[in-house]
Amino acid sequence: MILEGQGLAQARAVPHEASPAAMIAPVAVARPRLPNAEAILPYLHRIDAARWYSNFGPLINELEQRLADRFARTTKVVTVANATQALTLGLQAMDLMPGGYVVLPAWTFVATAHAVIQAGLTPWFVDVDPVTWMLDVAEIEDLALNLQGEVVAVIPVCAFGAMPDLDRWVAFRQATGIPVLIDAAAAFDTLHDARLPAVVSLHATKVLGLGEGGYLATEDAEFAGKVQQLTTFGFNGCRDSLIPATNAKLSEYAAAIGLAALDSWPADRLRFLRTAQHLRIALIGRPDVRFQEGWGTDWATSVCSVALPLGSADQVANSLRQDGVDTRQWWGRGCHTNRAFTDCRREPLPVTQALASSVIGLPFSIDMDAHAIARTAAALDRALSHG
Ligand code: T4K
């Protein structure tokens, strides 16, 4: 049941009326909901009729066009097997100096750094802004100017779906000549500007999911063509493999799910926002639980990462677990702490360390119900009041 028109008092009253079974079942941190079989079926019939299953069939073309139509200016969209691959191929298409440093935030998911390495480049972890949780353009400008030639690209990451100031990043690219690739993995809802190439994830856990998938959006048609060529063995209109490449295409079946997801997106977006409002209301008495600016009011995303008092993340997560409420530190202790990246260069990272000790992902889903919201709020109250 989707929570509708219920206030804090009512939401908090629900647990006492809930069945014993509902009381015991843990509140899941994520409950992705992709289009159901009925919604996908018309697209499957089209696949049956066309007998076209992959390699740039009609459904993939339609999906890419509909995704491109969401941008304010003329934009090309290239679908890719997942966002990690899209980031890798986006970097490869930039023809950067092999082994060169790519600046990325330490406060990100491991995929960003893996993509850099897979593209034959070297991650360089940098700290983020304490308010936006994203790279600070001015800081990166200073870094790039001090280390002329060492930085071959920058990847600003959209923190859990928030959008950085793209005008400033466009100005950065113009001023420094350093290519910028936006990791907008969770920013399907907020990305409507592809002056800088940007990558969105269509993973099941994202707001618009099709299982596994992603896309790169850009206003540069030639660049889009190069990325697409990299997804298909380096072919470009002929069966001669012109550049080293891979196979990272999406099938028509994935496109079917994507098209069905786009059909219901306007209504689903409102459902995400409405659920977010109810979660916000349930936590209104806790100023020590800080939402990202605009989360659930200005933009929709599939996770709810909140900042708690400094250093309290582990204790709160443990307390919530005891109350049957799952949480997730979606970006762990920071990307740089993963063993795969032990040897990677890094700047001092005090803000990332602070975020790693204070940010947790609360349960959130498109149809999180009143009972789950109330249990989450009550468990947080308990954890923070007695912590
Ligand atoms: N850049 C950034 C900044 C990213 O955050 C990501 C991905 C990427 C790039 C790369 O995008 P992709 O290459 O994935 O397109 C998830 C996602 O797999 C990943 O897409 C996401 N970021 C990352 C932050 O989180 P896990 O390993 O935490 O998911 P998992 O399997 O533990 O599931 C989370 C919760 O959801 C669990 O409670 C189970 C539940 N769940 C999950 C799935 C997949 C379901 O109930 N149903 C499901 O189908 O990675």
Side-chain angles (χ1 to χ4, degrees), residues 70 158 161-163 166 184 186-193 298-300:
R70 291 172 37 79
C158 301
M163 191 47 59
L166 291 181
F188 171 79
D189 186 44
T190 41
L191 185 74
H192 299 282
D193 177 339
D298 302 348
W299 46 278

Side-chain angles (χ1 to χ4, degrees), residues 64-243:
E64 290 183 348
Q65 193 51 56
R66 282 180 64 181
L67 290 169
D69 289 345
R70 291 172 37 79
F71 287 80
R73 292 148 45 116
T74 306
T75 293
K76 287 270 179 202
V77 161
V78 181
T79 50
V80 184
N82 55 61
T84 311
Q85 286 262 53
L87 288 166
T88 302
L89 302 185
L91 289 168
Q92 282 176 355
M94 288 174 171
D95 288 326
L96 305 169
M97 183 182 73
Y101 282 115
V102 176
V103 164
L104 73 162
W107 188 233
T108 185
F109 186 55
V110 292
T112 321
H114 279 307
V116 172
I117 293 171
Q118 289 303 307
L121 301 160
T122 310
W124 182 349
F125 293 111
V126 169
D127 214 0
V128 293
D129 177 87
V131 175
T132 65
W133 303 356
M134 296 186 272
L135 290 183
D136 180 321
V137 189
E139 239 175 68
I140 307 305
E141 212 155 29
D142 286 348
L143 193 74
L145 287 176
N146 288 338
L147 300 151
Q148 291 260 337
E150 281 197 75
V151 176
V152 297
V154 179
I155 307 184
V157 176
C158 301
F160 304 109
M163 191 47 59
D165 186 338
L166 291 181
D167 288 340
R168 292 193 64 198
W169 281 111
V170 169
F172 168 91
R173 184 179 63 175
Q174 271 158 7
T176 63
I178 296 173
V180 176
L181 176 63
I182 307 287
D183 180 344
F188 171 79
D189 186 44
T190 41
L191 185 74
H192 299 282
D193 177 339
R195 283 174 295 165
L196 298 168
V199 166
V200 175
S201 171
L202 299 171
H203 187 260
T205 52
K206 299 294 185 285
V207 267
L208 191 113
L210 47 81
E212 290 285 353
Y215 61 91
L216 182 141
T218 175
E219 292 186 1
D220 181 340
E222 199 181 319
F223 184 72
K226 180 94 181 282
V227 174
Q228 188 177 66
Q229 189 181 2
L230 287 167
T231 69
T232 183
F233 313 107
F235 294 157
N236 187 9
C238 65
R239 281 183 57 79
D240 186 7
S241 187
L242 301 171
I243 49 172

Side-chain angles (χ1 to χ4, degrees), residues 42-54:
Y43 294 105
L44 297 184
H45 286 317
R46 281 177 54 189
I47 297 174
D48 291 344
R51 294 173 64 174
W52 196 287
Y53 305 102
S54 189

